[in-house]
Amino acid sequence: MKIDRRKFLKLTGATGIGLGLSATDIFTKGTVEASSGHSRVSTAATRLAMVINIGKLKTDDDYQRIIDACHSIHNVPTIDNPKHEVKWIWTDTYKHSFPEQINEYHPEAFMKKRFPLLCNHCDHPPCVRVCPTKATFKRPDGIIQQDMHRCIGCRFCMAACPYGSRSFNWIDPRPHIKEKNTEYPPRTMGVVEKCTFCNERLERGEEPACVESSNGALVFGNLNDPESEVRKILNTHFTLRRKPSLGTMPSVFYVIGGEDYAG
Amino acid sequence: MYNGGKIITGLIIFVALATFPFYANFGKTVELPSELEAEPDEMHLGNIPLVNMRSEHMKLLDQWRDEVVRGGKRFIEYDGDEYEKSLQNGCLGCHEKQEFCTKCHTYAGVKPYCWSCHFAEGEEGLL
């Protein structure tokens, strides 16, 4: 069949009308969801999140206890050489934690704090997008999981993560594990690892190790449940997230406040 | 034929080397793990009949690790009890790695790399 110019224009016109109709269709249907506010926010039933009441972490010991709880349970090695270091949760200064903050007049006590940093379990995780083997993926409850069995150690995820939450095992970690937990497998040289929000503890009905050892400074729950404790805190306090302009939508929130201000 | 002698000597050496594994093991008896004399129709947590365990256990482990790590389904119910689908907290709760798994694997010439991460009770060595 030969299509002349006239026929072609008629056909494209008809298709255009068809497209126009379905576009309005989509538009009217879309308004319901759009009214929930941010169009990029997860609508899953569960999105696990953490709120960190920085004011409740007072002594060095308060921080160290959290780190030790996590690292001993998960057989995270302690390696002094910073080039080979492996960390699931660590601390840093205000300036390094929130480099996008241009407000230099947050409460002074707050800005002097050190901040516990960990995987943000982003709603839009860049690490998941770049992983060539789907070793890292997002669970339906929002946890960003790392499947060690599939990790080929390419470190694309480390390049993609804007928070430095991932560590590569440059050397055999086994000799550097302080206290062994024989119920959880350590990793081996050549894989990337990070915080898992303690999925193995959650599945046994326990809280994440850092939350449990924090004396209430760290609160964990379902961000998509308006009645959850994390939502109640977020409703009554201003919080910061790390590097929000990148659009990764972190699930870890830091309550702004210094001393006992943060309830 | 050029260099006939060299070629034939070379061939003989090659054949001798290539068949080395066969005659090196010839006539040797290998001890199987003692656990092998079991009731054949006993069930393995209801997953796989024991008779098939020898050929199927690696598939079960593969399935388990996907279900646990990727599916978040850590427990399995069997006979009213809950069991953990786990290598170090499951299989090795009944079987001793060195005496059971490794013994048979050495016999079969298999070297699972699992132990470079997963702990086995009381030991840290690989294999």
Side-chain angles (χ1 to χ4, degrees):
Chain A
M1 194 185 88
K2 190 171 166 275
I3 297 182
D4 56 24
R5 188 172 158 272
R6 230 181 120 75
K7 234 183 200 162
F8 175 76
L9 284 177
K10 270 191 197 158
L11 273 172
T12 43
T15 329
I17 292 167
L19 280 179
L21 277 179
S22 49
T24 44
D25 227 28
I26 292 165
F27 186 69
T28 44
K29 276 181 192 146
T31 47
V32 183
E33 262 166 33
S35 69
S36 69
H38 205 300
S39 58
R40 274 167 61 85
V41 164
S42 131
T43 49
T46 310
R47 177 178 165 199
L48 295 174
M50 187 181 289
V51 176
I52 297 179
N53 270 312
I54 205 74
K56 286 194 179 173
L57 294 171
K58 295 203 169 67
T59 62
D60 285 350
D61 195 48
D62 288 343
Y63 289 91
Q64 200 55 45
R65 208 177 41 244
I66 293 173
I67 295 170
D68 287 346
C70 168
H71 285 188
S72 65
I73 281 180
H74 298 112
N75 295 312
V76 179
T78 310
I79 301 171
D80 291 331
N81 181 351
K83 279 189 182 161
H84 297 164
E85 183 187 36
V86 175
K87 52 195 179 11
W88 285 26
I89 180 166
W90 71 104
T91 66
D92 210 335
T93 58
Y94 170 78
K95 230 179 161 169
H96 289 162
S97 307
F98 305 100
E100 287 178 357
Q101 278 297 314
I102 46 172
N103 182 357
E104 66 265 51
Y105 295 111
H106 274 315
E108 211 167 297
F110 178 69
M111 296 199 293
K112 279 190 185 144
K113 285 271 182 191
R114 285 190 78 78
F115 293 82
L117 307 179
L118 64 155
C119 171
N120 276 305
H121 296 273
C122 306
D123 206 23
H124 294 280
C127 54
V128 170
R129 296 177 63 170
V130 298
C131 180
T133 60
K134 289 198 163 67
T136 192
F137 59 97
K138 188 176 170 194
R139 305 193 343 163
D141 59 8
I143 293 182
I144 307 305
Q145 180 66 299
Q146 170 87 351
D147 185 343
M148 296 301 167
H149 308 103
R150 286 206 194 178
C151 179
I152 56 169
C154 71
R155 295 180 282 130
F156 284 6
C157 56
M158 292 177 69
C161 176
Y163 307 105
S165 300
R166 293 170 163 270
S167 308
F168 184 68
N169 283 282
W170 291 99
I171 57 173
D172 180 13
R174 282 256 179 142
H176 303 280
I177 299 170
K178 269 201 259 169
E179 283 167 60
K180 290 187 180 68
N181 171 17
T182 52
E183 293 191 357
Y184 194 86
R187 278 66 55 195
T188 180
M189 190 164 80
V191 295
V192 173
E193 60 182 77
K194 67 166 195 77
C195 154
T196 61
F197 259 177
C198 281
N199 70 297
E200 87 283 3
R201 288 170 59 87
L202 298 174
E203 285 153 18
R204 295 191 180 103
E206 295 163 328
E207 284 194 306
C210 56
V211 173
E212 191 181 80
S213 60
S214 72
N215 289 337
L218 275 52
V219 180
F220 190 75
N222 179 3
L223 196 62
N224 285 0
D225 170 11
E227 298 301 314
S228 67
E229 204 184 340
V230 285
R231 277 291 288 278
K232 280 180 186 152
I233 300 175
L234 294 178
N235 261 341
T236 48
H237 297 78
F238 282 107
T239 52
L240 290 183
R241 284 192 283 180
R242 296 185 67 200
K243 305 187 186 173
S245 74
L246 299 176
T248 58
M249 304 263 154
S251 300
V252 177
F253 298 77
Y254 297 85
V255 175
I256 298 177
E259 299 299 313
D260 276 326
Y261 166 82
Chain B
M1 202 152 112
Y2 300 108
N3 291 331
K6 276 188 195 159
I7 292 175
I8 288 170
T9 327
L11 275 176
I12 290 173
I13 293 175
F14 171 74
V15 170
L17 284 177
T19 52
F20 176 77
F22 296 102
Y23 57 79
N25 281 324
F26 189 75
K28 274 191 197 159
T29 50
V30 181
E31 220 182 302
L32 278 166
S34 54
E35 286 98 331
L36 296 196
E37 314 114 28
E39 290 290 308
D41 23 324
E42 212 174 313
M43 302 288 275
H44 232 96
L45 296 182
N47 278 292
I48 292 171
L50 186 56
V51 272
N52 294 338
M53 203 56 196
R54 230 180 257 196
S55 55
E56 305 290 318
H57 65 281
M58 58 301 279
K59 294 181 200 160
L60 179 68
L61 280 169
D62 194 32
Q63 184 191 331
W64 276 12
R65 74 177 177 186
D66 270 359
E67 285 172 3
V68 172
V69 177
R70 304 191 76 86
K73 298 197 172 55
R74 193 168 287 269
F75 296 97
I76 181 166
E77 214 169 282
Y78 177 62
D79 219 7
D81 280 323
E82 256 195 355
Y83 294 89
E84 204 178 319
K85 295 185 220 164
S86 168
L87 191 47
Q88 69 280 331
N89 310 330
C91 313
L92 298 188
C94 289
H95 298 298
E96 209 176 69
K97 188 196 121 200
Q98 213 61 33
E99 278 302 305
F100 186 73
C101 320
T102 306
K103 215 169 180 181
C104 184
H105 288 161
T106 309
Y107 170 70
V110 205
K111 279 191 184 174
Y113 66 94
C114 322
W115 315 108
S116 55
C117 292
H118 289 267
F119 276 123
E121 199 64 50
E123 55 189 337
E124 283 159 43
L126 311 184
L127 189 80

